[in-house]
mmCIF file of all heavy atoms in Angstrom:
data_model
loop_
_atom_site.group_PDB
_atom_site.id
_atom_site.type_symbol
_atom_site.label_atom_id
_atom_site.label_comp_id
_atom_site.label_asym_id
_atom_site.label_seq_id
_atom_site.Cartn_x
_atom_site.Cartn_y
_atom_site.Cartn_z
ATOM 1 N N ARG A 25 95.585 111.036 88.882
ATOM 2 C CA ARG A 25 95.615 109.886 87.973
ATOM 3 C C ARG A 25 95.385 110.385 86.546
ATOM 4 O O ARG A 25 94.455 111.172 86.286
ATOM 5 C CB ARG A 25 94.537 108.881 88.367
ATOM 6 C CG ARG A 25 94.719 107.489 87.782
ATOM 7 C CD ARG A 25 95.942 106.820 88.319
ATOM 8 N NE ARG A 25 96.008 105.391 87.935
ATOM 9 C CZ ARG A 25 97.133 104.694 87.973
ATOM 10 N NH1 ARG A 25 98.268 105.260 88.355
ATOM 11 N NH2 ARG A 25 97.128 103.424 87.617
ATOM 12 N N ILE A 26 96.218 109.914 85.619
ATOM 13 C CA ILE A 26 96.181 110.401 84.239
ATOM 14 C C ILE A 26 96.024 109.233 83.274
ATOM 15 O O ILE A 26 96.690 108.206 83.406
ATOM 16 C CB ILE A 26 97.482 111.162 83.902
ATOM 17 C CG1 ILE A 26 97.721 112.274 84.928
ATOM 18 C CG2 ILE A 26 97.426 111.737 82.488
ATOM 19 C CD1 ILE A 26 99.130 112.839 84.875
ATOM 20 N N ALA A 27 95.135 109.392 82.315
ATOM 21 C CA ALA A 27 94.986 108.431 81.221
ATOM 22 C C ALA A 27 95.741 108.980 80.011
ATOM 23 O O ALA A 27 95.532 110.124 79.609
ATOM 24 C CB ALA A 27 93.512 108.231 80.874
ATOM 25 N N THR A 28 96.614 108.156 79.437
ATOM 26 C CA THR A 28 97.420 108.608 78.309
ATOM 27 C C THR A 28 97.825 107.402 77.473
ATOM 28 O O THR A 28 97.129 106.383 77.477
ATOM 29 C CB THR A 28 98.643 109.408 78.817
ATOM 30 O OG1 THR A 28 99.352 109.947 77.712
ATOM 31 C CG2 THR A 28 99.562 108.572 79.684
ATOM 32 N N ILE A 29 98.933 107.503 76.739
ATOM 33 C CA ILE A 29 99.454 106.373 75.973
ATOM 34 C C ILE A 29 100.857 106.048 76.456
ATOM 35 O O ILE A 29 101.580 106.926 76.945
ATOM 36 C CB ILE A 29 99.461 106.650 74.452
ATOM 37 C CG1 ILE A 29 100.201 107.948 74.135
ATOM 38 C CG2 ILE A 29 98.041 106.683 73.914
ATOM 39 C CD1 ILE A 29 100.337 108.228 72.647
ATOM 40 N N ASP A 30 101.242 104.789 76.330
ATOM 41 C CA ASP A 30 102.510 104.344 76.905
ATOM 42 C C ASP A 30 103.718 105.033 76.287
ATOM 43 O O ASP A 30 104.767 105.155 76.927
ATOM 44 C CB ASP A 30 102.644 102.823 76.805
ATOM 45 C CG ASP A 30 102.599 102.295 75.378
ATOM 46 O OD1 ASP A 30 102.340 103.074 74.431
ATOM 47 O OD2 ASP A 30 102.822 101.080 75.191
ATOM 48 N N TYR A 31 103.585 105.516 75.065
ATOM 49 C CA TYR A 31 104.681 106.213 74.399
ATOM 50 C C TYR A 31 105.178 107.400 75.226
ATOM 51 O O TYR A 31 106.376 107.726 75.209
ATOM 52 C CB TYR A 31 104.208 106.686 73.025
ATOM 53 C CG TYR A 31 105.169 107.613 72.297
ATOM 54 C CD1 TYR A 31 106.332 107.113 71.704
ATOM 55 C CD2 TYR A 31 104.915 108.974 72.203
ATOM 56 C CE1 TYR A 31 107.214 107.954 71.039
ATOM 57 C CE2 TYR A 31 105.789 109.826 71.537
ATOM 58 C CZ TYR A 31 106.932 109.308 70.956
ATOM 59 O OH TYR A 31 107.797 110.148 70.302
ATOM 60 N N LEU A 32 104.288 108.043 75.959
ATOM 61 C CA LEU A 32 104.650 109.248 76.706
ATOM 62 C C LEU A 32 105.249 108.959 78.080
ATOM 63 O O LEU A 32 105.822 109.865 78.705
ATOM 64 C CB LEU A 32 103.424 110.153 76.870
ATOM 65 C CG LEU A 32 102.814 110.698 75.574
ATOM 66 C CD1 LEU A 32 101.576 111.527 75.886
ATOM 67 C CD2 LEU A 32 103.836 111.525 74.798
ATOM 68 N N LEU A 33 105.143 107.725 78.543
ATOM 69 C CA LEU A 33 105.570 107.424 79.901
ATOM 70 C C LEU A 33 107.067 107.635 80.106
ATOM 71 O O LEU A 33 107.521 107.863 81.222
ATOM 72 C CB LEU A 33 105.195 105.991 80.282
ATOM 73 C CG LEU A 33 103.699 105.661 80.261
ATOM 74 C CD1 LEU A 33 103.470 104.248 80.760
ATOM 75 C CD2 LEU A 33 102.891 106.661 81.087
ATOM 76 N N GLY A 34 107.829 107.552 79.033
ATOM 77 C CA GLY A 34 109.273 107.745 79.142
ATOM 78 C C GLY A 34 109.707 109.186 79.013
ATOM 79 O O GLY A 34 110.903 109.476 78.915
ATOM 80 N N GLY A 35 108.749 110.110 78.998
ATOM 81 C CA GLY A 35 109.085 111.517 78.908
ATOM 82 C C GLY A 35 109.288 112.028 77.505
ATOM 83 O O GLY A 35 109.906 113.077 77.300
ATOM 84 N N THR A 36 108.771 111.302 76.519
ATOM 85 C CA THR A 36 108.930 111.694 75.119
ATOM 86 C C THR A 36 108.053 112.893 74.775
ATOM 87 O O THR A 36 107.189 113.295 75.546
ATOM 88 C CB THR A 36 108.581 110.517 74.197
ATOM 89 O OG1 THR A 36 107.353 109.938 74.644
ATOM 90 C CG2 THR A 36 109.656 109.449 74.226
ATOM 91 N N ASP A 37 108.279 113.453 73.576
ATOM 92 C CA ASP A 37 107.573 114.644 73.106
ATOM 93 C C ASP A 37 107.667 115.793 74.114
ATOM 94 O O ASP A 37 106.718 116.562 74.305
ATOM 95 C CB ASP A 37 106.104 114.335 72.790
ATOM 96 C CG ASP A 37 105.922 113.913 71.334
ATOM 97 O OD1 ASP A 37 106.939 113.592 70.681
ATOM 98 O OD2 ASP A 37 104.792 113.918 70.842
ATOM 99 N N LYS A 38 108.824 115.869 74.764
ATOM 100 C CA LYS A 38 109.157 116.964 75.690
ATOM 101 C C LYS A 38 108.283 116.992 76.939
ATOM 102 O O LYS A 38 108.262 117.984 77.659
ATOM 103 C CB LYS A 38 109.112 118.307 74.973
ATOM 104 C CG LYS A 38 110.064 118.380 73.781
ATOM 105 C CD LYS A 38 110.033 119.737 73.119
ATOM 106 C CE LYS A 38 111.014 119.778 71.943
ATOM 107 N NZ LYS A 38 111.007 121.103 71.259
ATOM 108 N N MET A 39 107.577 115.889 77.209
ATOM 109 C CA MET A 39 106.773 115.802 78.437
ATOM 110 C C MET A 39 107.518 114.949 79.455
ATOM 111 O O MET A 39 107.095 113.862 79.843
ATOM 112 C CB MET A 39 105.384 115.246 78.115
ATOM 113 C CG MET A 39 104.514 116.244 77.379
ATOM 114 S SD MET A 39 102.811 115.704 77.121
ATOM 115 C CE MET A 39 102.910 115.039 75.457
ATOM 116 N N GLU A 40 108.660 115.462 79.904
ATOM 117 C CA GLU A 40 109.567 114.712 80.759
ATOM 118 C C GLU A 40 109.012 114.460 82.158
ATOM 119 O O GLU A 40 109.479 113.566 82.863
ATOM 120 C CB GLU A 40 110.913 115.425 80.840
ATOM 121 C CG GLU A 40 111.637 115.472 79.495
ATOM 122 C CD GLU A 40 113.034 116.050 79.622
ATOM 123 O OE1 GLU A 40 113.422 116.452 80.743
ATOM 124 O OE2 GLU A 40 113.731 116.105 78.588
ATOM 125 N N ALA A 41 108.021 115.224 82.565
ATOM 126 C CA ALA A 41 107.436 115.024 83.893
ATOM 127 C C ALA A 41 106.855 113.628 84.047
ATOM 128 O O ALA A 41 106.786 113.093 85.168
ATOM 129 C CB ALA A 41 106.358 116.076 84.163
ATOM 130 N N PHE A 42 106.457 113.004 82.946
ATOM 131 C CA PHE A 42 105.893 111.653 83.039
ATOM 132 C C PHE A 42 106.907 110.655 83.600
ATOM 133 O O PHE A 42 106.515 109.616 84.147
ATOM 134 C CB PHE A 42 105.407 111.180 81.667
ATOM 135 C CG PHE A 42 103.991 111.605 81.341
ATOM 136 C CD1 PHE A 42 103.720 112.334 80.197
ATOM 137 C CD2 PHE A 42 102.942 111.258 82.170
ATOM 138 C CE1 PHE A 42 102.423 112.717 79.878
ATOM 139 C CE2 PHE A 42 101.635 111.638 81.874
ATOM 140 C CZ PHE A 42 101.379 112.370 80.724
ATOM 141 N N LYS A 43 108.180 110.942 83.485
ATOM 142 C CA LYS A 43 109.200 110.027 84.002
ATOM 143 C C LYS A 43 109.157 109.937 85.528
ATOM 144 O O LYS A 43 109.717 109.013 86.117
ATOM 145 C CB LYS A 43 110.591 110.466 83.542
ATOM 146 C CG LYS A 43 110.808 110.305 82.046
ATOM 147 C CD LYS A 43 112.259 110.461 81.637
ATOM 148 C CE LYS A 43 112.753 111.868 81.799
ATOM 149 N NZ LYS A 43 114.123 112.034 81.240
ATOM 150 N N LYS A 44 108.490 110.883 86.162
ATOM 151 C CA LYS A 44 108.399 110.889 87.616
ATOM 152 C C LYS A 44 107.162 110.138 88.122
ATOM 153 O O LYS A 44 106.898 110.104 89.320
ATOM 154 C CB LYS A 44 108.356 112.332 88.129
ATOM 155 C CG LYS A 44 109.591 113.150 87.769
ATOM 156 C CD LYS A 44 109.488 114.557 88.327
ATOM 157 C CE LYS A 44 110.703 115.383 87.982
ATOM 158 N NZ LYS A 44 110.625 116.760 88.555
ATOM 159 N N GLY A 45 106.405 109.545 87.212
ATOM 160 C CA GLY A 45 105.141 108.907 87.578
ATOM 161 C C GLY A 45 105.311 107.635 88.383
ATOM 162 O O GLY A 45 106.369 107.018 88.435
ATOM 163 N N ARG A 46 104.212 107.244 89.012
ATOM 164 C CA ARG A 46 104.177 106.009 89.807
ATOM 165 C C ARG A 46 102.864 105.275 89.546
ATOM 166 O O ARG A 46 101.969 105.787 88.885
ATOM 167 C CB ARG A 46 104.330 106.324 91.293
ATOM 168 C CG ARG A 46 103.304 107.322 91.821
ATOM 169 C CD ARG A 46 103.580 107.692 93.267
ATOM 170 N NE ARG A 46 102.753 108.793 93.739
ATOM 171 C CZ ARG A 46 101.517 108.685 94.192
ATOM 172 N NH1 ARG A 46 100.931 107.471 94.238
ATOM 173 N NH2 ARG A 46 100.838 109.747 94.605
ATOM 174 N N ASP A 47 102.785 104.057 90.085
ATOM 175 C CA ASP A 47 101.568 103.229 89.970
ATOM 176 C C ASP A 47 101.117 103.122 88.513
ATOM 177 O O ASP A 47 99.945 103.367 88.172
ATOM 178 C CB ASP A 47 100.432 103.806 90.825
ATOM 179 C CG ASP A 47 100.796 103.859 92.300
ATOM 180 O OD1 ASP A 47 101.592 103.010 92.734
ATOM 181 O OD2 ASP A 47 100.309 104.760 92.996
ATOM 182 N N ILE A 48 102.026 102.711 87.661
ATOM 183 C CA ILE A 48 101.739 102.640 86.226
ATOM 184 C C ILE A 48 100.920 101.393 85.895
ATOM 185 O O ILE A 48 101.228 100.291 86.340
ATOM 186 C CB ILE A 48 103.045 102.637 85.411
ATOM 187 C CG1 ILE A 48 103.768 103.980 85.584
ATOM 188 C CG2 ILE A 48 102.778 102.365 83.936
ATOM 189 C CD1 ILE A 48 105.157 104.011 84.985
ATOM 190 N N ASN A 49 99.882 101.600 85.130
ATOM 191 C CA ASN A 49 99.071 100.506 84.586
ATOM 192 C C ASN A 49 99.140 100.625 83.075
ATOM 193 O O ASN A 49 98.532 101.514 82.485
ATOM 194 C CB ASN A 49 97.622 100.623 85.079
ATOM 195 C CG ASN A 49 96.730 99.538 84.502
ATOM 196 O OD1 ASN A 49 97.192 98.601 83.862
ATOM 197 N ND2 ASN A 49 95.420 99.676 84.722
ATOM 198 N N SER A 50 99.910 99.740 82.443
ATOM 199 C CA SER A 50 100.167 99.855 81.012
ATOM 200 C C SER A 50 100.036 98.493 80.343
ATOM 201 O O SER A 50 101.025 97.831 80.022
ATOM 202 C CB SER A 50 101.575 100.420 80.778
ATOM 203 O OG SER A 50 101.854 100.547 79.400
ATOM 204 N N PRO A 51 98.790 98.021 80.128
ATOM 205 C CA PRO A 51 98.577 96.701 79.514
ATOM 206 C C PRO A 51 99.079 96.675 78.072
ATOM 207 O O PRO A 51 98.777 97.564 77.287
ATOM 208 C CB PRO A 51 97.057 96.528 79.580
ATOM 209 C CG PRO A 51 96.526 97.922 79.623
ATOM 210 C CD PRO A 51 97.530 98.733 80.374
ATOM 211 N N GLN A 52 99.847 95.649 77.724
ATOM 212 C CA GLN A 52 100.538 95.637 76.438
ATOM 213 C C GLN A 52 99.906 94.729 75.383
ATOM 214 O O GLN A 52 100.437 94.600 74.282
ATOM 215 C CB GLN A 52 101.998 95.225 76.652
ATOM 216 C CG GLN A 52 102.813 96.276 77.400
ATOM 217 C CD GLN A 52 102.864 97.596 76.659
ATOM 218 O OE1 GLN A 52 103.381 97.666 75.546
ATOM 219 N NE2 GLN A 52 102.314 98.647 77.265
ATOM 220 N N GLU A 53 98.777 94.121 75.681
ATOM 221 C CA GLU A 53 98.111 93.298 74.671
ATOM 222 C C GLU A 53 97.649 94.173 73.499
ATOM 223 O O GLU A 53 97.318 95.347 73.674
ATOM 224 C CB GLU A 53 96.916 92.561 75.276
ATOM 225 C CG GLU A 53 97.298 91.513 76.315
ATOM 226 C CD GLU A 53 97.562 92.114 77.683
ATOM 227 O OE1 GLU A 53 97.336 93.323 77.853
ATOM 228 O OE2 GLU A 53 98.002 91.371 78.572
ATOM 229 N N THR A 54 97.597 93.583 72.329
ATOM 230 C CA THR A 54 97.243 94.325 71.119
ATOM 231 C C THR A 54 95.900 95.030 71.238
ATOM 232 O O THR A 54 95.726 96.141 70.719
ATOM 233 C CB THR A 54 97.215 93.375 69.906
ATOM 234 O OG1 THR A 54 98.511 92.768 69.767
ATOM 235 C CG2 THR A 54 96.876 94.123 68.625
ATOM 236 N N ALA A 55 94.958 94.440 71.917
ATOM 237 C CA ALA A 55 93.617 95.025 72.051
ATOM 238 C C ALA A 55 93.644 96.375 72.742
ATOM 239 O O ALA A 55 92.681 97.152 72.637
ATOM 240 C CB ALA A 55 92.704 94.081 72.822
ATOM 241 N N ASN A 56 94.742 96.682 73.430
ATOM 242 C CA ASN A 56 94.844 97.951 74.156
ATOM 243 C C ASN A 56 95.480 99.052 73.318
ATOM 244 O O ASN A 56 95.734 100.154 73.824
ATOM 245 C CB ASN A 56 95.656 97.738 75.436
ATOM 246 C CG ASN A 56 95.030 96.692 76.332
ATOM 247 O OD1 ASN A 56 93.916 96.855 76.798
ATOM 248 N ND2 ASN A 56 95.736 95.602 76.545
ATOM 249 N N ASN A 57 95.723 98.761 72.037
ATOM 250 C CA ASN A 57 96.257 99.776 71.134
ATOM 251 C C ASN A 57 95.281 100.936 71.035
ATOM 252 O O ASN A 57 94.059 100.749 70.993
ATOM 253 C CB ASN A 57 96.491 99.156 69.761
ATOM 254 C CG ASN A 57 97.250 100.074 68.825
ATOM 255 O OD1 ASN A 57 96.745 101.119 68.436
ATOM 256 N ND2 ASN A 57 98.439 99.686 68.452
ATOM 257 N N SER A 58 95.806 102.148 70.988
ATOM 258 C CA SER A 58 94.941 103.326 70.977
ATOM 259 C C SER A 58 93.968 103.317 69.809
ATOM 260 O O SER A 58 92.829 103.772 69.939
ATOM 261 C CB SER A 58 95.779 104.609 70.955
ATOM 262 O OG SER A 58 96.598 104.668 69.809
ATOM 263 N N ARG A 59 94.382 102.778 68.647
ATOM 264 C CA ARG A 59 93.468 102.797 67.492
ATOM 265 C C ARG A 59 92.232 101.936 67.745
ATOM 266 O O ARG A 59 91.124 102.292 67.337
ATOM 267 C CB ARG A 59 94.189 102.350 66.218
ATOM 268 C CG ARG A 59 94.408 100.880 66.045
ATOM 269 C CD ARG A 59 94.982 100.555 64.680
ATOM 270 N NE ARG A 59 96.330 101.067 64.544
ATOM 271 C CZ ARG A 59 97.432 100.323 64.675
ATOM 272 N NH1 ARG A 59 97.306 99.036 64.967
ATOM 273 N NH2 ARG A 59 98.618 100.829 64.531
ATOM 274 N N PHE A 60 92.408 100.819 68.445
ATOM 275 C CA PHE A 60 91.262 99.961 68.729
ATOM 276 C C PHE A 60 90.350 100.601 69.773
ATOM 277 O O PHE A 60 89.126 100.440 69.716
ATOM 278 C CB PHE A 60 91.732 98.582 69.187
ATOM 279 C CG PHE A 60 92.499 97.834 68.130
ATOM 280 C CD1 PHE A 60 93.752 97.315 68.391
ATOM 281 C CD2 PHE A 60 91.977 97.680 66.855
ATOM 282 C CE1 PHE A 60 94.468 96.653 67.417
ATOM 283 C CE2 PHE A 60 92.686 97.016 65.869
ATOM 284 C CZ PHE A 60 93.936 96.494 66.157
ATOM 285 N N ILE A 61 90.932 101.326 70.705
ATOM 286 C CA ILE A 61 90.125 102.031 71.699
ATOM 287 C C ILE A 61 89.325 103.141 71.023
ATOM 288 O O ILE A 61 88.151 103.361 71.334
ATOM 289 C CB ILE A 61 91.033 102.577 72.812
ATOM 290 C CG1 ILE A 61 91.592 101.403 73.621
ATOM 291 C CG2 ILE A 61 90.268 103.542 73.715
ATOM 292 C CD1 ILE A 61 92.664 101.769 74.600
ATOM 293 N N ILE A 62 89.949 103.836 70.077
ATOM 294 C CA ILE A 62 89.240 104.872 69.316
ATOM 295 C C ILE A 62 88.078 104.253 68.544
ATOM 296 O O ILE A 62 86.960 104.784 68.534
ATOM 297 C CB ILE A 62 90.210 105.592 68.364
ATOM 298 C CG1 ILE A 62 91.272 106.356 69.163
ATOM 299 C CG2 ILE A 62 89.440 106.552 67.451
ATOM 300 C CD1 ILE A 62 92.458 106.817 68.330
ATOM 301 N N MET A 63 88.318 103.128 67.889
ATOM 302 C CA MET A 63 87.256 102.449 67.144
ATOM 303 C C MET A 63 86.137 102.012 68.070
ATOM 304 O O MET A 63 84.947 102.132 67.732
ATOM 305 C CB MET A 63 87.822 101.232 66.417
ATOM 306 C CG MET A 63 88.746 101.571 65.272
ATOM 307 S SD MET A 63 89.345 100.061 64.480
ATOM 308 C CE MET A 63 90.831 100.674 63.686
ATOM 309 N N ASN A 64 86.496 101.491 69.235
ATOM 310 C CA ASN A 64 85.470 101.067 70.194
ATOM 311 C C ASN A 64 84.586 102.233 70.605
ATOM 312 O O ASN A 64 83.368 102.079 70.779
ATOM 313 C CB ASN A 64 86.125 100.453 71.434
ATOM 314 C CG ASN A 64 86.764 99.102 71.160
ATOM 315 O OD1 ASN A 64 86.449 98.458 70.158
ATOM 316 N ND2 ASN A 64 87.668 98.688 72.024
#
């Protein structure tokens, strides 16, 4: 199980292995933005 950001789930930034992932949990509400998590 990996914690990351949704931008990478499509295999971007040359990390194409993420496209093979399963059981994705990717909440899209604004509060889940990485900057707010960093601030928290």
Side-chain angles (χ1 to χ4, degrees):
R25 197 66 170 161
I26 306 166
T28 185
I29 54 176
D30 60 353
Y31 171 75
L32 297 178
L33 299 184
T36 47
D37 270 15
K38 302 182 179 180
M39 288 186 264
E40 295 186 358
F42 274 124
K43 292 192 291 187
K44 299 181 180 181
R46 55 185 171 83
D47 300 331
I48 294 172
N49 178 9
S50 180
Q52 291 299 298
E53 294 81 6
T54 301
N56 302 298
N57 189 294
S58 60
R59 78 173 67 100
F60 296 127
I61 291 171
I62 295 166
M63 291 180 202
N64 290 342

